[in-house]
Amino acid sequence: MTTELATHRPEGDRAGPAPVLEVRDLSVGVGRPGRERSVVSGVSLTIPQGGRLALVGESGSGKSMTALAVAGLLPGSFRILSGKVSLSGRAIDPGGREMSTVRGREIAMIFQDPMSALNPVMTIGWQLVEAIRAHGALDHGAARRRAVELLEEVRIADAANRLDAYPHEFSGGMRQRVMIAMALAHRPRLIIADEPTTALDVTTQLQILRLLDDLCRQEGSALMLITHDLGVVQGTCDDVLVLYGGRMMEAGPVAEVLARPRHPYTRSLLATIPPLDADVEWLTPIPGEPSAFTSVSGCPFATRCSLAEDRCHNQTPPMRIAGAPVQAACHMLESGAGQIGGQE
Amino acid sequence: MTGKGPVLPAFARSAGRRLFDLAVVMLSVATVVFVLLRVVPGDPVLILGGLDVLDREVIARARESMGLDRPVAEQYAVWLGNMLRGDLGLSLRSGIPVTELVGRALPPTLQLGAMALLIGVAISVPLGVAAARRAGSPADMGITTFAILGISTPPFVIALGLIYLFAVHLRLLPVAGYVAFADDPLGNLRTMAMPALTLGLVTAGVLVRIMRRSVIDELGEDYVRSARAKGVSETRVVYRHAARNAAIPYVTILGIEAGVLLSGAIITETIFAIPGLGRLMIDNINQRDYPVVQGAVLVVALIYVLINAGVDGLYRILDPRVRAGEGQ
C-alpha cells in the first residue's frame, strides 16, 4: 500500500487493480485566459485503493488547490491549465459537467470550516437527505432513515431527534461529524479531507481525526488528507507529498520521510514541530514567507533556503529518487542536503 | 427586567412588543402630521371659499363650525380622542366622513401596490439569479443595464412611454381611468395594468440589483461548495441553496421598496386618474383639508408599519437563527 509517484513508470508495469486516483502533471492557474499565473505546477500523485496520502505544506503551498482541482470545485477564476486525472483507471475531466455524478458518489469532500460548510437556513436532516438523494433513487422516507443511520455512524447521540435541528444548534465538532456523515453517504472510493480539524479545538480534533480514520478503514475508502500539521500525518497516513509554492518538494512513505527528510523544506517544516522527548527553548521558524504564485524558473523555496546557490534560483529542480522509495526536488541532494537527515 | 412578571411564550412577548411599537409609531405620526399642517401657510377657509370671501362674519362662522377657532392644543386633544374611537373627522370641504373617503381610496392603492410588487418580484427574482449565475457575461451586462434604466428613469417617463405604446400605438389598453374590481374584473385589470407595470418596473430595477449581488455573494459561500461536493445539480445549488439564502437581504429591500411604492403611487395615480390614497392626499393638501390629509397620512403610516411587521414575519420564516434569537 504505497503511494507511487512513478511519473516515469511505463504503463505495462502496473499490476493489480487501478489506483483510485492518479494525477499526472497537474497545473492550476488563476486569472484571465492567456494571462494566468499558476498556483499549482506539475503535481503528480497516485493513491491506491484504500490508500492514505497526506498533502502537506504551508498556507499557499497549493495543497488545497490541488484537491479542489481534482474534485472540480476550483473557485471562480481558477482553472486547470494542464494535467490528467484518472479515477480507478478512468480518465475524467474535473471541470466538466459530468462531475456532478462523480462528486458525492465516487469522490467526497470534507472541508476546513464546519461552521460555514453547512447551509445555515436548512435543517441537518434536509442537507443529509439531499446528499443521499443526489445519487440513487431512495424516496424521501427511506432517505431520512438512511440519514439517521449515517448520523449514528458518526456517533451523534439521539440521531433521530437531531434531524430537524439547524446547523447553528450544533457545535463545531458535531457539524464536522455531519459533514463526515454526508461524505460517507455513498461509500465513496476516495474521501478528500481539507484540513478537517483545523477549525476545531484540540480535544475535538483528535476525536474527529480518529472517527475519520476508523470510518475510512471500515468502508475501504481511500483518503487524501490535506494538512499543515506533520504530527497529524504520522498516525493517519501511509504516504506524504510535501508541496511548496505549488510544486512538489518531496514524496514518499510517511515513516521514511519523517525519519529522514531529504528536502531542506521538509526539514525546516519538521523543525517547527516541538519534539515530545526533549525540552526545547525555541522552535525554529522558517525565515521569510511563501509566494502566492509558482515561480517561472528556479526552486520556489530557494529564497528561504539556507543551502541555495545560483542554479537553485535559475533552474527548477525535477523530482528524482532521493534514496528509494523517497523522491525529492532539490539540486543540493548530492551536496549534502540529503545526508543531513532527521532532526539534530 | 428578567425573572419578574409572568413568563410569556417568546412569540406572545414579541407580538406584544410589536403592538406597543405600533402604537408609539402611530401616535408620533399623528402628532407630526397635525403640527406640520398647521405650520404650513394657507387658511382652509380662505382656500375653500375663494379669496374673494372677505366678509369677516362669514369667515368666523366657518371657522367655528370647523372647530378652527379653538386653541391648537384643544384641537389636537379632540382630534386624538376621536381618532382613538375610529373617528377621523369630517372633510372640511364636503362634510363626508374622512374614514369613508379613505376607505374608498384605499382599495385602488392597495391593489396597485400589490400588483406592482408582484410584477417587481416576478421580474427581479429570475433576472437577478440569471445575472448572478453568469456574472460578467453579456447577458449579465444586459440585465444590469435594464436594472439601472429601471432605477434611473422617472416613473412618469415610464408611464408616458407605456401609454404611448399600449394605448396610443397598439390601442390595447385605455389611456387612464379606473373601474372597481367588483364592478368589472376585466375592466379593472385593463385600467390597472399600465400603472402597475410602471411602478413594477421601477421596483424591479432595484430588486434585480439586490438579488444579483446577494446571489453572487452566496455562491461564494462554503456551504455552496459543500452542496456541489455532494453532487447536487447546479440548478438546485443556485435555487435551493444560494437564492434561498439570498432571500434574506432581498426581503429587507423588498420591505423598503413596498414603502417607496406608496410615494410612487402619488404620481402614478395622478397620471392614470386612479382615485387612490396618493391622489386623495395631493388633492386635499392643495385644499388644506386638514382632517382628510391627517386621516390619509395616518393610514399610509399604518401600512408602513404593517409592511415592516410583515418583513419581520418573513425573516422568521426564512431564517431559523432569527427564530432562535427571539427569546433573548
Side-chain angles (χ1 to χ4, degrees):
Chain A
M1 269 228 218
T2 47
T3 300
E4 287 138 344
L5 289 127
T7 339
H8 314 294
R9 207 167 85 171
E11 291 291 305
D13 258 19
R14 191 169 290 129
V20 168
L21 178 68
E22 196 166 13
V23 176
R24 285 280 162 271
D25 256 332
L26 179 76
S27 293
V28 176
V30 62
R32 273 183 291 159
R35 309 181 65 178
E36 298 98 343
R37 304 191 65 181
S38 55
V39 292
V40 172
S41 194
V43 169
S44 299
L45 57 89
T46 305
I47 306 179
Q49 286 192 13
R52 289 129 178 283
L53 172 71
L55 284 189
V56 177
E58 290 168 85
S59 321
S61 61
K63 53 194 193 313
S64 289
M65 283 302 156
T66 302
L68 290 173
V70 166
L73 291 173
L74 285 172
S77 47
F78 290 80
R79 284 187 310 115
I80 293 179
L81 301 178
S82 61
K84 283 197 191 117
V85 180
S86 321
L87 267 184
S88 307
R90 179 169 51 92
I92 57 164
D93 168 21
R97 285 202 153 269
E98 65 281 6
M99 273 306 279
S100 65
T101 64
V102 172
R103 281 194 296 261
R105 200 163 58 87
E106 291 179 64
I107 305 179
M109 263 195 102
I110 298 161
F111 299 101
Q112 180 172 350
D113 187 0
M115 294 300 175
S116 55
L118 289 165
N119 188 332
V121 303
M122 295 301 185
T123 62
I124 300 293
W126 188 92
Q127 300 186 53
L128 271 163
V129 166
E130 183 182 50
I132 293 162
R133 298 189 70 188
H135 311 282
L138 248 50
D139 66 50
H140 187 79
R144 265 182 86 89
R145 285 191 292 280
R146 176 87 181 106
V148 174
E149 286 170 23
L150 285 169
L151 285 184
E152 280 163 356
E153 265 182 64
V154 296
R155 285 155 224 170
I156 284 180
D158 198 16
N161 290 320
R162 296 303 217 138
L163 278 188
D164 295 321
Y166 286 94
H168 68 84
E169 296 167 297
F170 275 25
S171 67
M174 297 252 290
R175 287 185 220 186
Q176 200 60 300
R177 284 170 196 268
V178 173
M179 291 303 293
I180 294 174
M182 281 189 209
L184 290 170
H186 296 282
R187 312 197 179 279
R189 272 177 282 191
L190 173 66
I191 293 180
I192 300 175
D194 187 355
E195 306 209 30
T197 59
T198 307
L200 304 174
D201 64 64
V202 183
T203 47
T204 319
Q205 281 184 5
L206 201 65
Q207 289 173 13
I208 293 294
L209 211 59
R210 225 168 251 161
L211 181 72
L212 191 60
D213 195 54
D214 287 355
L215 291 173
C216 280
R217 281 183 208 286
Q218 187 185 311
E219 305 293 334
S221 301
L223 178 68
M224 184 197 278
L225 181 70
I226 295 153
T227 179
H228 56 255
D229 186 349
L230 282 169
V232 163
V233 172
Q234 200 143 26
T236 325
C237 294
D238 314 318
D239 296 289
V240 59
L241 169 59
V242 180
L243 294 177
Y244 184 86
R247 287 185 191 277
M248 297 194 287
M249 295 287 109
E250 182 161 359
V254 170
E256 189 71 27
V257 170
L258 293 192
R260 283 197 310 125
R262 271 71 158 178
H263 198 286
Y265 176 62
T266 316
R267 275 206 303 282
S268 10
L269 209 56
L270 278 166
T272 62
I273 307 174
L276 289 174
D277 50 0
D279 277 338
V280 279
E281 200 77 13
W282 294 97
L283 294 170
T284 320
I286 308 174
E289 58 188 62
S291 155
F293 302 103
T294 57
S295 49
V296 180
S297 61
C299 170
F301 189 58
T303 50
R304 299 170 75 189
C305 182
S306 58
L307 299 170
E309 42 181 57
D310 279 353
R311 59 176 170 156
C312 295
H313 294 285
N314 303 326
Q315 297 165 26
T316 310
M319 282 292 267
R320 57 201 172 111
I321 304 291
V326 177
Q327 295 184 50
C330 181
H331 288 308
M332 309 304 289
L333 290 174
E334 286 75 22
S335 36
Q339 277 86 60
I340 298 169
Q343 280 175 282
E344 261 92 327
Chain B
M1 292 270 274
T2 48
K4 288 173 191 170
V7 180
L8 286 169
F11 175 74
R13 234 181 323 164
S14 90
R17 197 169 48 215
R18 202 156 290 150
L19 271 176
F20 179 75
D21 288 350
L22 183 125
V24 171
V25 169
M26 295 309 291
L27 184 67
S28 316
V29 170
T31 309
V32 168
V33 170
F34 183 89
V35 171
L36 267 181
L37 277 181
R38 274 151 189 83
V39 170
V40 173
D43 185 321
V45 177
L46 294 184
I47 291 170
L48 272 177
L51 290 174
D52 52 337
V53 184
L54 290 173
D55 187 334
R56 282 168 180 281
E57 196 60 20
V58 175
I59 293 171
R61 236 182 295 130
R63 282 242 165 82
E64 207 185 310
S65 72
M66 294 174 189
L68 291 172
D69 56 332
R70 263 143 319 132
V72 172
E74 196 185 322
Q75 289 181 40
Y76 177 66
V78 169
W79 181 65
L80 218 53
N82 288 340
M83 190 186 79
L84 288 177
R85 290 197 306 272
D87 174 9
L88 294 174
L90 303 177
S91 161
L92 298 182
R93 213 159 27 134
S94 59
I96 301 172
V98 171
T99 43
E100 197 187 314
L101 286 173
V102 171
R104 253 189 274 159
L106 195 56
T109 299
L110 288 184
Q111 191 194 346
L112 178 59
M115 283 175 69
L117 218 52
L118 215 63
I119 291 170
V121 172
I123 293 176
S124 64
V125 170
L127 282 190
V129 171
R133 285 180 78 166
R134 299 164 187 81
S137 72
D140 174 31
M141 281 190 277
I143 291 169
T144 306
T145 307
F146 163 80
I148 292 171
L149 277 177
I151 296 167
S152 50
T153 312
F156 75 87
V157 173
I158 297 179
L160 294 179
L162 290 176
I163 289 173
Y164 176 74
L165 182 66
F166 289 110
V168 179
H169 193 70
L170 297 174
R171 297 180 178 281
L172 284 174
L173 298 168
V175 173
Y178 174 75
V179 187
F181 188 80
D183 297 342
D184 174 7
L186 192 69
N188 167 273
L189 290 179
R190 277 166 54 85
T191 52
M192 293 298 264
M194 281 196 291
L197 199 56
T198 303
L199 288 176
L201 285 173
V202 175
T203 314
V206 176
L207 293 179
V208 162
R209 288 191 62 83
I210 295 300
M211 195 62 186
R212 175 183 176 275
R213 185 70 255 159
S214 310
V215 171
I216 288 176
D217 288 347
E218 296 299 332
L219 281 174
E221 291 290 327
D222 285 355
Y223 69 81
V224 165
R225 190 177 57 183
S226 303
R228 288 190 178 130
K230 292 194 282 192
V232 173
S233 74
E234 191 57 24
T235 307
R236 198 179 157 88
V237 166
V238 169
Y239 279 95
R240 301 303 296 270
H241 289 273
R244 175 67 175 70
N245 275 274
I248 297 167
Y250 180 81
V251 159
T252 309
I253 305 299
L254 192 67
I256 296 171
E257 279 302 304
V260 173
L261 274 182
L262 285 176
S263 46
I266 294 177
I267 298 162
T268 317
E269 285 173 3
T270 309
I271 293 175
F272 290 101
I274 294 167
L277 269 183
R279 257 186 67 199
L280 186 73
M281 276 193 282
I282 286 291
D283 291 352
N284 288 290
I285 287 169
N286 291 337
Q287 301 289 343
R288 299 292 185 280
D289 198 336
Y290 293 160
V292 180
V293 177
Q294 284 167 167
V297 171
L298 220 53
V299 169
V300 170
L302 185 67
I303 296 173
Y304 270 100
V305 174
L306 291 178
I307 289 170
N308 271 312
V311 168
D312 283 352
L314 276 177
Y315 281 152
R316 285 174 47 83
I317 294 169
L318 291 174
D319 193 344
R321 290 161 297 184
V322 172
R323 295 200 286 274
E326 206 138 70
Q328 289 154 22

